[in-house]
Amino acid sequence: MLVGRYRPTTVGLVIAVGIILAGGLSGCRRPERQGTLWWFTWTPAEEYALNQRLAAQFEREHPGVKVRLTNDPSQQAMQKLQVTLSAGAAPDLMSIHGAFFVPFATAGALLDITERAEQDAEFKLSDFYPGLLDLCRVEGRLYSIPRYASVYSMFYNKTLFDRAGVPYPGSGPSWTWDDFRSTAKALTKDENADGVPEQYGCAIDFWGARIYPWVWQNGGQVISPDKKRAMLSSPATQEALQFLVDLKAKDKVAPQSVEDERRGSKELFKMGRVAMYMSGPWDVQEFERMPDLVWDVAPLPQKKQKASLLGTENYAIGAKTKMPDQAWALLKFLLSPEVQKTVAEEIGKMPSRISVAEGPFLAQKVGYNRRVFVEALAYGKMPPNIPGWNEVLDIMQRALDAIWQGKASVSEATKQADREINEVLLRWQTQKNGQAGRGSQK
């Protein structure tokens, strides 16, 4: 799951498409069939321009195969793609936000590419980070490949730190929650003493995936590892949530944020009004275009352990493609070491291939510490994701909003949320067992 641009909302999860297991393994041979491939993306203009060049290069290297590239840069791109899939008009190759991958795969919209990926010697599946590949599997089968890597880290405004004479995050002997809190206090400024700081030490996005790293750092969980039981009300999870709430309500080092202000934290950071902001590689391009913003990136603080959230954006082949060999060839080309190196150098995207991330990506001279992102992949954790996870997210978010807005205590809200989430998990498990039972009778 890519952890940046989208906060998933409840969407219909039944996609009326059939699974067509078309074509045999392509191996290393070049596909000979002619035709046009539909490639769908949801990128900013700069990346779209690069993708147009890549499509042209692929066409030159594969005579007879044309690529029709369509791009939707809007925040509703995945919802629109879902409507397209529901109508049975699937792209041959599509870029998918990680949060939508499992629903698409379980609905039969994506081609199972397990054998292609494992048996194609040219592709070298072992060169991709294992944790990212795990995000691309459903029931052990591979339905997509990570095109980018994503991990949360801590962006910080160097100018504000220098002005206050405060050491940069993670530069001292320790970088714990206590260090984070004391640093945030030192960087919060209320010059006119009106109770509303002009400058905040940190910003806390109290929603969805943004809370997971804090919970994991304290040894907590959102749901149990077997995905059968909600754990928001567990002591470790409650303690992590209370820590975040206290930064805003008690220490007053973080601004208030509500439903319609979820992008406000980044805007405050860009304006120089927030010193520390948790985000990931997807924000790098935007920050680099702001010459007055002097920033760098540090690891997230830790409590009982280091933890961050692994995320990805995937390339998947449509289950209904009539050109599976050509679609696989396009996927291979776009995820080749050469193309990943080009994408990293030109637009700063973090590669999903180990050889590129730990080679050219780290070697390239840039104005920030890329090593923080790469090292975080070692302790990043997979987000909980099941076919009905969006319903769980909605329940969880109602509880988080109530807590953040002071309408309910951490204890009250998480206990109620756990009761509601457990009903969803039980229903999902019952449906899963029923499907397995019917399958065994065939």
Side-chain angles (χ1 to χ4, degrees):
M1 170 174 89
L2 187 73
V3 290
R5 291 170 55 193
Y6 280 90
R7 175 189 169 230
T9 56
T10 299
V11 290
L13 299 182
V14 178
I15 303 174
V17 296
I19 301 177
I20 298 180
L21 300 177
L25 296 180
S26 62
C28 298
R29 60 187 172 85
R30 174 170 293 183
E32 298 175 355
R33 180 177 175 180
Q34 297 183 353
T36 299
L37 289 170
W38 177 13
W39 173 22
F40 171 83
T41 62
W42 49 285
T43 70
E46 185 179 8
E47 186 171 357
Y48 176 52
L50 173 57
N51 285 339
Q52 288 178 308
R53 286 165 37 209
L54 292 174
Q57 180 181 341
F58 178 82
E59 289 177 345
R60 290 194 298 272
E61 296 177 5
H62 296 78
V65 179
K66 298 296 181 181
V67 177
R68 178 167 66 92
L69 173 61
T70 61
N71 184 62
D72 184 346
S74 75
Q75 290 289 322
Q76 292 76 42
M78 289 298 99
Q79 286 85 350
K80 293 178 184 177
L81 176 60
Q82 188 166 24
V83 172
T84 300
L85 295 174
S86 299
D92 296 290
L93 183 69
M94 63 195 93
S95 175
I96 299 176
H97 188 286
F100 287 79
F101 162 68
V102 171
F104 286 1
T106 54
L110 310 181
L111 187 69
D112 184 340
I113 57 173
T114 307
E115 282 73 28
R116 291 178 183 273
E118 292 178 349
Q119 297 179 20
D120 190 330
E122 284 183 349
F123 189 59
K124 296 182 180 177
L125 188 63
S126 61
D127 191 30
F128 291 86
Y129 284 97
L132 298 179
L133 284 176
D134 287 342
L135 293 172
C136 298
R137 291 188 172 96
V138 173
E139 301 294 333
R141 305 294 293 177
L142 197 63
Y143 289 90
S144 65
I145 303 291
R147 61 184 298 234
Y148 302 140
S150 289
V151 280
Y152 279 131
S153 298
M154 192 65 68
F155 287 79
Y156 62 96
N157 186 314
K158 297 176 70 174
T159 301
L160 299 186
F161 273 80
D162 293 343
R163 189 179 297 157
V166 177
Y168 295 148
S171 62
S174 66
W175 182 229
T176 65
W177 282 11
D178 289 340
D179 297 324
F180 178 76
R181 171 180 268 148
S182 61
T183 299
K185 286 182 177 180
L187 286 158
T188 298
K189 307 295 182 183
D190 183 8
E191 301 292 352
N192 59 8
D194 65 351
V196 181
E198 294 80 29
Q199 175 182 307
Y200 291 95
C202 64
I204 300 297
D205 287 322
F206 203 67
W207 54 268
R210 299 266 171 162
I211 70 164
Y212 299 163
W214 303 97
V215 170
W216 294 331
Q217 288 160 17
N218 201 41
Q221 298 287 342
V222 176
I223 63 172
S224 59
D226 61 6
K227 300 181 181 179
K228 294 182 179 180
R229 181 168 52 91
M231 298 186 66
L232 289 173
S233 62
S234 65
T237 301
Q238 287 187 343
E239 184 181 21
L241 297 179
Q242 191 64 58
F243 172 76
L244 298 177
V245 171
D246 286 347
L247 290 172
K248 184 259 303 183
K250 183 178 178 181
D251 302 321
K252 301 187 185 304
V253 297
Q256 175 77 45
S257 63
V258 292
E259 180 70 27
D260 60 352
E261 296 174 345
R262 288 220 159 88
R263 286 185 293 275
S265 296
K266 182 169 71 173
E267 295 307 311
L268 289 175
F269 181 77
K270 289 161 56 177
M271 293 166 58
R273 292 191 56 203
V274 161
M276 294 181 289
Y277 165 64
M278 186 178 79
S279 191
W282 55 88
D283 275 335
V284 166
Q285 283 178 272
E286 184 173 357
F287 294 162
E288 284 185 323
R289 290 194 292 265
M290 303 183 66
D292 294 334
L293 181 64
V294 183
W295 59 276
D296 206 339
V297 63
L300 296 180
Q302 68 179 79
K303 180 69 169 176
K304 296 177 182 177
Q305 61 186 10
K306 289 184 177 181
S308 185
L309 173 67
L310 276 181
T312 182
E313 181 182 327
N314 310 333
Y315 271 140
I317 297 173
K320 292 187 114 178
T321 181
K322 296 179 180 179
M323 301 172 64
D325 290 346
Q326 290 79 3
W328 174 250
L330 178 58
L331 183 151
K332 279 177 56 177
F333 167 76
L334 294 172
L335 295 180
S336 66
E338 295 77 17
V339 170
Q340 283 218 336
K341 179 175 180 290
T342 297
V343 173
E345 289 177 347
E346 293 197 19
I347 57 176
K349 294 294 185 180
M350 185 174 177
S352 53
R353 282 188 177 272
I354 300 171
S355 62
V356 185
E358 298 181 10
F361 182 72
L362 281 183
Q364 185 180 6
K365 292 184 178 181
V366 292
Y368 65 98
N369 188 0
R370 276 183 171 174
R371 186 169 295 277
V372 168
F373 292 142
V374 174
E375 291 179 349
L377 291 172
Y379 54 82
K381 294 179 178 291
M382 289 178 56
N385 206 350
I386 60 175
W389 187 246
N390 285 328
E391 188 176 356
V392 173
L393 277 179
D394 282 348
I395 296 171
M396 183 173 72
Q397 195 55 52
R398 288 197 299 271
L400 294 177
D401 287 344
I403 293 168
W404 193 250
Q405 296 167 19
K407 297 177 180 179
S409 68
V410 170
S411 177
E412 293 168 342
T414 55
K415 288 178 181 178
Q416 176 62 31
D418 275 359
R419 286 191 289 268
E420 295 179 30
I421 291 171
N422 283 336
E423 293 178 2
V424 176
L425 296 177
L426 178 60
R427 185 173 72 247
W428 173 74
Q429 193 64 42
T430 301
Q431 292 172 348
K432 181 182 178 183
N433 292 340
Q435 293 168 354
R438 288 192 296 273
S440 65
Q441 295 172 9
K442 292 181 180 180

